[in-house]
Amino acid sequence: MEIFKYMEKYDYEQLVFCQDEASGLKAVIAIHDTTLGPALGGARMWTYNAEEEAIEDALRLARGMTYKNAAAGLNLGGGKTVIIGDPFADKNEDMFRALGRFIQGLNGRYITAEDVGTTVDDMDLIHQETDYVTGISPAFGSSGNPSPVTAYGVYRGMKAAAKEAFGSDSLEGLAVSVQGLGNVAKALCKKLNTEGAKLVVTDVNKAAVSAAVAEEGADAVAPNAIYGVTCDIFAPCALGAVLNDFTIPQLKAKVIAGSADNQLKDPRHGKYLHELGIVYAPDYVINAGGVINVADELYGYNRTRAMKRVDGIYDSIEKIFAISKRDGVPSYVAADRMAEERIAKVAKARSQFLQDQRNILNGR
């Protein structure tokens, strides 16, 4: 892997390799862009097949956080930590404290949080060495479990997408098929049921499916059958890359709006949806409630303020559809443009400010 060539291609700022022999820590911190503010992104722990794979994952995820934070209206850039190791076997206190010291050494350029393979307890250990961490225990002033907040953001974004497709943001009477019944999807189903939506659900976890049927009045289908369900809205809330050459031709929904990350297997699948006239709410915008919530901790967590910002996901999705129409592009491209336009605007203002200061110093 030609690291500098890759970093130059996507304009990364910094890549940090962290090693602590005593604890077994091997980690990579990638900082993509800090134009809007310090980079915020979670610490992921995973068993990678090769070090190069871990580096590539850190870089890819950091860039994704730049776009997510920018589109969410946060004054934060994008970054990510990847820890190489088995999250079920290799964790120890010294490892996360060592990582905390590396993060502290970045002097606030990067702020971490919980991610795949890490927990609130792990964040608490990092917090013993640095304040540049969010998603810690509520006893330390954090926001607690982010899943209900993420679900609320998806719900608001889904209503905006329904308005685009059907002319009304009411979900009452609409059929919504939900793929995956994890913590976020479970909370989302509760809100949808309360509004009067008709639910069809699936998950490999049979207990989760039984609970949704009993508690939310959902109908259940086999995992592979969810794509062909006749419905108004399809909500992918499990794995990524579920929108692909095999699944898209099966879809009968007019709207796609769910919490899963990286729903498009390839960018061309976003174009495919656009050509079919399916309204797609880009994943990193609609599922940003969690990061909006933990970002509020940086100002001293205020739930009312945080929820108001999460409520704004509705407006963000509407803006994306407006850009899509304005530029004649698919919604996933419009989402990127919305984020890029915000970053460019701030970068231009900063550049002008610096030039004005130089002119003052030079007596112009």
Side-chain angles (χ1 to χ4, degrees), residues 159 162-171 174:
K159 287 176 75 67
K163 183 179 178 181
E164 177 69 15
F166 309 119
S168 169
D169 68 4
S170 174
L171 303 177
L174 296 186

mmCIF file of all heavy atoms in Angstrom, residues 159 162-171 174:
data_model
loop_
_atom_site.group_PDB
_atom_site.id
_atom_site.type_symbol
_atom_site.label_atom_id
_atom_site.label_comp_id
_atom_site.label_asym_id
_atom_site.label_seq_id
_atom_site.Cartn_x
_atom_site.Cartn_y
_atom_site.Cartn_z
ATOM 1 N N LYS A 159 -39.218 10.382 7.810
ATOM 2 C CA LYS A 159 -40.393 11.223 7.567
ATOM 3 C C LYS A 159 -40.118 12.223 6.436
ATOM 4 O O LYS A 159 -40.978 12.475 5.585
ATOM 5 C CB LYS A 159 -40.782 11.964 8.862
ATOM 6 C CG LYS A 159 -41.419 11.051 9.907
ATOM 7 C CD LYS A 159 -41.707 11.787 11.203
ATOM 8 C CE LYS A 159 -42.902 12.708 11.105
ATOM 9 N NZ LYS A 159 -44.181 11.965 10.921
ATOM 10 N N ALA A 162 -40.279 10.291 3.251
ATOM 11 C CA ALA A 162 -41.673 9.969 2.918
ATOM 12 C C ALA A 162 -42.362 11.178 2.290
ATOM 13 O O ALA A 162 -43.133 11.043 1.327
ATOM 14 C CB ALA A 162 -42.420 9.528 4.179
ATOM 15 N N LYS A 163 -42.064 12.356 2.821
ATOM 16 C CA LYS A 163 -42.644 13.588 2.262
ATOM 17 C C LYS A 163 -42.217 13.780 0.812
ATOM 18 O O LYS A 163 -43.014 14.176 -0.049
ATOM 19 C CB LYS A 163 -42.231 14.783 3.109
ATOM 20 C CG LYS A 163 -42.834 16.098 2.647
ATOM 21 C CD LYS A 163 -42.396 17.247 3.547
ATOM 22 C CE LYS A 163 -42.963 18.574 3.064
ATOM 23 N NZ LYS A 163 -42.506 19.702 3.924
ATOM 24 N N GLU A 164 -40.938 13.480 0.538
ATOM 25 C CA GLU A 164 -40.417 13.608 -0.819
ATOM 26 C C GLU A 164 -41.117 12.638 -1.771
ATOM 27 O O GLU A 164 -41.444 12.982 -2.908
ATOM 28 C CB GLU A 164 -38.910 13.354 -0.822
ATOM 29 C CG GLU A 164 -38.242 13.390 -2.183
ATOM 30 C CD GLU A 164 -38.199 14.780 -2.795
ATOM 31 O OE1 GLU A 164 -38.416 15.775 -2.083
ATOM 32 O OE2 GLU A 164 -37.949 14.868 -4.014
ATOM 33 N N ALA A 165 -41.359 11.424 -1.281
ATOM 34 C CA ALA A 165 -41.934 10.386 -2.150
ATOM 35 C C ALA A 165 -43.445 10.446 -2.254
ATOM 36 O O ALA A 165 -44.019 10.217 -3.329
ATOM 37 C CB ALA A 165 -41.505 9.010 -1.632
ATOM 38 N N PHE A 166 -44.117 10.751 -1.140
ATOM 39 C CA PHE A 166 -45.571 10.623 -1.081
ATOM 40 C C PHE A 166 -46.313 11.943 -0.871
ATOM 41 O O PHE A 166 -47.539 11.952 -0.852
ATOM 42 C CB PHE A 166 -45.961 9.641 0.034
ATOM 43 C CG PHE A 166 -45.243 8.325 -0.034
ATOM 44 C CD1 PHE A 166 -44.427 7.901 1.011
ATOM 45 C CD2 PHE A 166 -45.353 7.508 -1.153
ATOM 46 C CE1 PHE A 166 -43.764 6.693 0.963
ATOM 47 C CE2 PHE A 166 -44.688 6.290 -1.221
ATOM 48 C CZ PHE A 166 -43.891 5.880 -0.170
ATOM 49 N N GLY A 167 -45.558 13.042 -0.644
ATOM 50 C CA GLY A 167 -46.194 14.335 -0.471
ATOM 51 C C GLY A 167 -46.613 14.647 0.936
ATOM 52 O O GLY A 167 -47.123 15.732 1.221
ATOM 53 N N SER A 168 -46.415 13.707 1.860
ATOM 54 C CA SER A 168 -46.748 13.903 3.273
ATOM 55 C C SER A 168 -45.705 13.177 4.111
ATOM 56 O O SER A 168 -45.239 12.097 3.732
ATOM 57 C CB SER A 168 -48.130 13.355 3.589
ATOM 58 O OG SER A 168 -48.348 13.305 5.000
ATOM 59 N N ASP A 169 -45.363 13.760 5.262
ATOM 60 C CA ASP A 169 -44.381 13.094 6.111
ATOM 61 C C ASP A 169 -45.033 12.185 7.153
ATOM 62 O O ASP A 169 -44.344 11.630 8.015
ATOM 63 C CB ASP A 169 -43.441 14.102 6.777
ATOM 64 C CG ASP A 169 -44.121 14.984 7.816
ATOM 65 O OD1 ASP A 169 -45.328 14.785 8.092
ATOM 66 O OD2 ASP A 169 -43.446 15.874 8.369
ATOM 67 N N SER A 170 -46.329 12.000 7.067
ATOM 68 C CA SER A 170 -46.990 11.077 7.976
ATOM 69 C C SER A 170 -46.648 9.632 7.591
ATOM 70 O O SER A 170 -46.685 9.257 6.416
ATOM 71 C CB SER A 170 -48.506 11.257 7.929
ATOM 72 O OG SER A 170 -49.152 10.257 8.707
ATOM 73 N N LEU A 171 -46.332 8.828 8.574
ATOM 74 C CA LEU A 171 -46.018 7.418 8.343
ATOM 75 C C LEU A 171 -47.197 6.508 8.680
ATOM 76 O O LEU A 171 -47.103 5.294 8.517
ATOM 77 C CB LEU A 171 -44.789 7.013 9.172
ATOM 78 C CG LEU A 171 -43.520 7.831 8.920
ATOM 79 C CD1 LEU A 171 -42.394 7.383 9.848
ATOM 80 C CD2 LEU A 171 -43.074 7.755 7.468
ATOM 81 N N LEU A 174 -48.432 3.496 6.410
ATOM 82 C CA LEU A 174 -47.410 3.067 5.460
ATOM 83 C C LEU A 174 -46.800 1.747 5.916
ATOM 84 O O LEU A 174 -46.638 1.490 7.105
ATOM 85 C CB LEU A 174 -46.309 4.125 5.339
ATOM 86 C CG LEU A 174 -46.710 5.487 4.765
ATOM 87 C CD1 LEU A 174 -45.467 6.357 4.577
ATOM 88 C CD2 LEU A 174 -47.446 5.338 3.442
#
